[in-house]
Amino acid sequence: MTRNHIRAHSGPFTLEEQQEAELELAVLHADAFALRLRAKEGENPPTLEEWGTHYRRKAPLLVRLSLSDPLRYEDLAREAVTQWREAEQREATAIAAIGTGDDAERWLANRGH
């Protein structure tokens, strides 16, 4: 999503909407903390899909918040969009790797002979 797309379809938040969005952002920060903690502990690490879902929720919210308060949210929105893009790329790479796993292993095994 681009800033212009969001501006054209929903625009900046009203004051009440902004307060609700900031509360949602606080929840997302807590979710990210829980995901990082799980990753650090290693027993039940978050999946790529869980990270992707987190960034799919966080990035558009921050972009729209940046329309309402650019000085406060502009840099956070840029970072979140980058993280979202990277998470999408990791998910796509993982899906492609799963789809070619057996074939790739066979190709490598035959290449060695």
Side-chain angles (χ1 to χ4, degrees):
M1 277 186 196
T2 65
R3 171 189 289 263
N4 291 335
H5 173 79
I6 292 173
R7 180 177 282 133
H9 288 84
S10 50
F13 286 119
T14 64
L15 183 57
E16 183 178 307
E17 290 173 329
Q18 183 172 341
Q19 290 171 342
E20 290 174 17
E22 288 172 343
L23 181 59
E24 175 66 17
L25 183 60
V27 170
L28 288 171
H29 284 307
D31 289 347
F33 177 78
L35 290 171
R36 282 190 208 96
L37 185 60
R38 284 177 45 205
K40 185 178 179 179
E41 289 176 349
E43 291 179 25
N44 182 22
T47 64
L48 292 175
E49 185 178 2
E50 287 175 299
W51 280 113
T53 299
H54 171 74
Y55 292 124
R56 275 188 290 280
R57 290 174 56 208
K58 182 179 176 182
L61 180 67
L62 277 167
V63 169
R64 193 154 175 223
L65 277 166
S66 75
L67 293 175
S68 299
D69 191 348
L71 292 175
R72 184 172 180 190
Y73 293 108
E74 181 90 27
D75 292 337
L76 292 172
R78 287 182 201 280
E79 181 182 333
V81 169
T82 299
Q83 291 170 327
W84 183 15
R85 184 179 322 114
E86 291 169 354
E88 293 285 324
Q89 289 171 347
R90 284 190 296 272
E91 283 183 82
T93 300
I95 290 168
I98 290 169
T100 59
D102 293 339
D103 294 335
E105 287 178 15
R106 267 195 300 281
W107 180 82
L108 287 171
N110 290 334
R111 188 169 176 235
H113 292 293

